[in-house]
Amino acid sequence: MRLLEHIKLAVFVGLATGILHGTIDIIARVFSGNFEWFEAYQALFFSIVVFMLGFLFLGFVIGLLAKIISLKIAKKYYAVFYFLTALFSLLFFYLGAYANLVLLSGIPLRSPVRIAANLILIVSLGAAYLTLLTKGKSAVLRIISNFKTKRLEKTIRAAFVAIMAFIVISFLIDIYLINAVPNFPAKGNFDVPNIIIMSLITMRADHLSSYGYHLETSPNIDKLARDAVLFENAISPSPLAQPSHAGILTGKYITGNGVIYEGDKLADSETTLAEMLRAKGYNTAAFIGRSQLKAEFGFDQGFMTYNDRTAFFAPTHNSVSMAKAIRIIAPKLKKLLNQDEISKAEEINDDIFKWLDKNYDNPFFIYAYYSDMHGPYSVKGEFTNINGSNEFENYTDEEFYALERDYLRKGNITPNIRDSMVKFYDNDIRQLDKNMGKLFDKIDELGLKDNTIIIITGVHGQEFFDHGNFGHQDTLYQEVIHVPLIVYYPNKINASRVEETVSTIDIFPTLLDILDIEIPDNIDGVSLLPLATNEGDYGRDYVKSELFGLPSDEIKRQTAIIDNEWKLIEVSSEGGAVSSGLYNLRTDPKEQKNLYYIFPQKRKLLQEFIDNT
């Protein structure tokens, strides 16, 4: 068999395998319910390219070796070889994905258990492959003979042409839709303020200079805050992104809206802020900087424009696709494929500016989700070398991120690593603030600033070993749930600072109150307008934040109740890494002195609030 014939046969088998793999991928996504139209052509494209290139290389190598050593093997047995290679390639992909993403999901990637399990899979499939290749040739030939007809070859060639046309046409449509900016006419001429909510992930309040931080991390936010109401003690309903966003958009605590864990879907039965504003004639648009809020999770309810495309090749959040497999196997290709699943503030702003240029003359509600402070942090920046040079200043962001992950896995974070984390985190705040300033300037240039409510808030905070942990998924201490909340609307609200402890779920009823829209009875949030205008009291005794462990976790539930200066953290199962605690935030703002057993009456009073929720 000549070299060219080898290559033609290999490419044909690779093409058929790629089409089959891509089709299975599409069917699986459709049935899972997590599917966006552009993933269909991308699934086919990646599958076809990977299998065709793989079989092209294989055909070239086998053909060249056969030529060099003058190997004489009948063409039909080469067909058996390529057929079995295609079959076992698919088996290896799907069984490997199932084993690693389902059966071994809780086991570290480099652990002996995972390595051994993968070796067993490889050996088992390899043994079966070699057995069929040597002992089962006749049986495989009979199977192949059923497919080897001119009609089938014509069908496959026609399918290939149709699929290539589908991919090309879909790609062109996709490019158009990505760059197209929708324009929605107003439902009527009415004099209401525009609304912009800027939600910042991993943003602890005490790292903003407007909240007293020792570095000038947020000059543009500070400038806006001087003409706004700054709530000094705002609390997120959860230290997790999706539950926290659900709280903002529904005005309910997480047990009320049902979004308790990351990956939970916001139910269609929930009425969101966007839905209420849209019903009143607002043009509603959301610009999402991280894949956690993709439309598949239900957060698009009520938005006429929902820009959640964080990457061009963006697989569904929980999908097993060829593009995702490539990213796992060769992570350095992530940037080349634009698969980081994050849109930085500059990209978010570009989309917002284009949208505003077409829609600024109608009352609008914009929800902008900025994710810049989520790791890996920016090594280069304003604060890298503050207080002397930094030993990591010549690292890339990814190199330092890999270093810190390695230290975290070992459970040994040195002071220099921790201090650099904080500096680089502050770099990201400063860079985000710069881009937020550009959005403020854009609103001003369009002549909208005086008639626009701008709300800046945090999704949750971030712990840098304040209590022995890193991140935001383990505890309910202040560094994780104390977030900024700034409300700018000089037409109706004078600048002030409010000390009362409030919740970000109060944003929902506050906006409705400002707009004189009836506030639903079934929400947990209360309007902050009386506090903001100094014309009344906060209509609630306490605020709450919750964290639910997964069923396999040692700690099932943590609840924080804050009543003015007192804070209770109640942990459902004691004896683990996190314990229940009672703290006085006025005398002990960093929660270092646990008063849980010293003030039992106060503890019991706050525990009653948990029982009532």
Side-chain angles (χ1 to χ4, degrees):
M1 190 173 176
R2 292 178 299 177
L3 178 61
L4 184 60
E5 289 178 312
H6 264 290
I7 292 174
K8 285 173 65 177
L9 177 60
V11 168
F12 181 79
V13 173
L15 167 63
T17 308
I19 291 173
L20 178 60
H21 182 275
T23 304
I24 292 171
D25 191 357
I26 293 169
I27 293 170
R29 295 193 209 191
V30 170
F31 276 96
S32 72
N34 296 335
F35 182 72
E36 295 188 61
W37 76 271
F38 61 85
E39 295 179 86
Y41 85 85
Q42 290 186 3
L44 286 166
F45 172 77
F46 275 107
S47 294
I48 289 171
V49 167
V50 168
F51 278 104
M52 280 188 66
L53 288 178
F55 275 85
L56 172 64
F57 176 76
L58 184 64
F60 178 78
V61 170
I62 296 297
L64 193 61
L65 284 173
K67 186 176 182 180
I68 292 172
I69 63 177
S70 301
L71 189 64
K72 301 294 184 181
I73 297 177
K75 183 178 179 180
K76 62 182 180 180
Y77 292 122
Y78 281 117
V80 170
F81 168 75
Y82 287 118
F83 176 83
L84 287 175
T85 302
L87 175 63
F88 277 87
S89 295
L90 291 172
L91 284 173
F92 180 74
F93 182 91
Y94 290 115
L95 291 176
Y98 180 75
N100 285 280
L101 299 179
V102 179
L103 298 180
L104 306 172
S105 60
I107 300 173
L109 190 64
R110 298 178 183 176
S111 72
V113 173
R114 189 185 279 262
I115 292 170
N118 280 287
L119 283 174
I120 290 170
L121 177 66
I122 292 169
V123 171
S124 301
L125 287 176
Y129 173 73
L130 290 174
T131 300
L132 284 174
L133 192 61
T134 55
K135 306 291 185 181
K137 293 192 293 290
S138 57
V140 175
L141 276 171
R142 284 196 296 272
I143 295 171
I144 292 174
S145 64
N146 294 324
F147 293 98
K148 197 175 180 182
T149 65
K150 287 188 176 182
R151 176 177 291 182
L152 182 62
E153 285 189 20
K154 284 184 179 180
T155 301
I156 291 175
R157 293 180 197 281
F160 173 69
V161 172
I163 287 170
M164 287 298 105
F166 168 73
I167 290 173
V168 171
I169 293 169
S170 296
F171 171 76
L172 295 175
I173 292 172
D174 200 11
I175 292 293
Y176 169 77
L177 291 176
I178 285 174
N179 291 283
V181 180
N183 172 242
F184 299 97
K187 291 185 178 179
N189 296 316
F190 54 104
D191 185 21
V192 293
N194 303 303
I195 301 168
I196 300 176
I197 296 178
M198 308 173 79
S199 113
L200 319 178
I201 196 172
T202 326
M203 184 67 256
R204 49 189 287 175
D206 62 356
H207 273 248
L208 291 178
S209 39
S210 48
Y211 279 79
Y213 194 51
H214 66 283
L215 300 176
E216 192 182 28
T217 53
S218 51
N220 290 294
I221 294 175
D222 301 348
K223 183 179 177 183
L224 186 85
R226 285 194 284 270
D227 296 318
V229 178
L230 184 148
F231 292 89
E232 295 182 347
N233 296 293
I235 300 297
S236 168
S238 170
L240 304 178
Q242 287 172 313
S244 180
H245 281 289
I248 293 171
L249 290 171
T250 65
K252 295 180 180 181
Y253 287 123
I254 66 174
T255 43
N257 60 47
V259 181
I260 294 173
Y261 304 108
E262 295 284 26
D264 283 348
K265 184 175 180 179
L266 182 63
D268 293 339
S269 58
E270 293 293 334
T271 300
T272 67
L273 177 61
E275 287 176 303
M276 295 199 71
L277 294 177
R278 181 175 180 175
K280 294 296 180 182
Y282 272 86
N283 185 353
T284 55
F287 300 88
I288 306 303
R290 197 169 179 85
S291 61
Q292 297 152 317
L293 292 198
K294 287 179 75 66
E296 66 191 78
F297 297 115
F299 290 94
D300 62 330
Q301 295 176 49
F303 288 104
M304 299 157 73
T305 300
Y306 199 77
N307 190 337
D308 63 347
R309 189 79 170 270
T310 54
F312 186 75
F313 297 112
T316 303
H317 195 72
N318 294 317
S319 71
V320 178
S321 65
M322 183 60 74
K324 200 165 186 175
I326 294 170
R327 189 182 71 184
I328 293 170
I329 295 167
K332 290 188 182 293
L333 288 176
K334 185 165 68 175
K335 282 192 174 181
L336 180 64
L337 295 176
N338 188 18
Q339 271 197 304
D340 56 8
E341 298 185 37
I342 296 172
S343 292
K344 291 289 190 180
E346 190 172 354
E347 300 170 80
I348 294 289
N349 278 355
D350 284 345
D351 291 333
I352 292 175
F353 293 173
K354 291 174 186 176
W355 187 89
L356 278 171
D357 286 337
K358 279 197 172 184
N359 295 280
Y360 75 91
D361 53 350
N362 297 323
F364 59 79
F365 165 48
I366 291 176
Y367 192 84
Y369 174 29
Y370 293 101
S371 61
D372 296 53
M373 284 86 62
H374 200 286
Y377 305 128
S378 297
V379 172
K380 304 288 189 297
E382 186 81 15
F383 307 111
T384 298
N385 294 318
I386 196 165
N387 300 325
S389 63
N390 189 296
E391 63 183 286
F392 307 111
E393 60 186 296
N394 293 320
Y395 280 54
T396 65
D397 300 352
E398 289 76 13
E399 286 171 342
F400 182 75
Y401 189 65
L403 180 69
E404 86 180 28
R405 296 296 108 178
D406 189 47
Y407 273 91
L408 285 169
R409 277 193 294 270
K410 294 174 182 175
N412 178 29
I413 289 290
T414 59
N416 61 332
I417 294 280
R418 188 266 176 196
D419 292 345
S420 294
M421 281 185 188
V422 174
K423 289 178 183 178
F424 302 157
Y425 172 76
D426 291 339
N427 284 342
D428 282 331
I429 297 175
R430 183 62 180 258
Q431 183 61 32
L432 173 63
D433 177 82
K434 180 180 177 181
N435 283 294
M436 290 173 70
K438 291 178 180 178
L439 178 56
F440 302 153
D441 291 341
K442 178 69 173 181
I443 297 296
D444 207 9
E445 287 169 14
L446 294 173
L448 303 174
K449 198 169 183 181
D450 290 339
N451 192 41
T452 299
I453 303 170
I454 300 175
I455 295 178
I456 299 170
T457 192
V459 180
H460 53 68
Q462 179 79 346
E463 183 180 349
F464 292 103
F465 306 98
D466 307 64
H467 287 87
N469 295 288
F470 173 76
H472 50 265
Q473 298 179 336
D474 301 308
T475 70
L476 292 176
Y477 293 114
Q478 290 295 89
E479 58 268 16
V480 178
I481 62 172
H482 178 208
V483 295
L485 178 56
I486 298 167
V487 181
Y488 171 90
Y489 186 37
N491 273 4
K492 191 164 185 175
I493 303 174
N494 294 326
S496 63
R497 297 179 75 96
V498 176
E499 292 185 8
E500 188 90 29
T501 301
V502 300
S503 175
T504 57
I505 68 170
D506 298 328
I507 292 171
F508 182 110
T510 301
L511 285 170
L512 298 185
D513 199 7
I514 292 173
L515 300 173
D516 200 25
I517 298 173
E518 184 178 356
I519 299 172
D521 294 330
N522 65 338
I523 67 170
D524 301 307
V526 299
S527 175
L528 300 176
L529 192 56
L531 285 176
T533 56
N534 200 26
E535 294 177 356
D537 298 324
Y538 189 44
R540 187 167 47 204
D541 293 327
Y542 64 90
V543 299
K544 179 175 70 169
S545 187
E546 298 169 284
L547 176 61
F548 286 76
L550 294 172
S552 59
D553 291 348
E554 178 186 0
I555 297 172
K556 302 300 183 199
R557 179 182 181 182
Q558 298 178 54
T559 305
I561 298 290
I562 304 175
D563 178 14
N564 293 318
E565 65 194 53
W566 288 96
K567 176 179 179 181
L568 171 71
I569 300 176
E570 192 71 28
V571 180
S572 64
S573 58
E574 293 288 351
V578 181
S579 300
S580 297
L582 178 69
Y583 304 94
N584 188 298
L585 297 177
R586 181 176 58 82
T587 60
D588 180 25
K590 295 189 181 296
E591 299 164 282
Q592 298 299 309
K593 188 175 181 180
N594 190 344
L595 306 174
Y596 193 82
Y597 295 105
I598 298 174
F599 292 96
Q601 293 303 317
K602 190 67 183 179
R603 181 189 78 219
K604 290 175 182 177
L605 178 64
L606 296 181
Q607 285 171 334
E608 289 179 7
F609 291 139
I610 297 177
D611 296 336
N612 293 332
T613 59

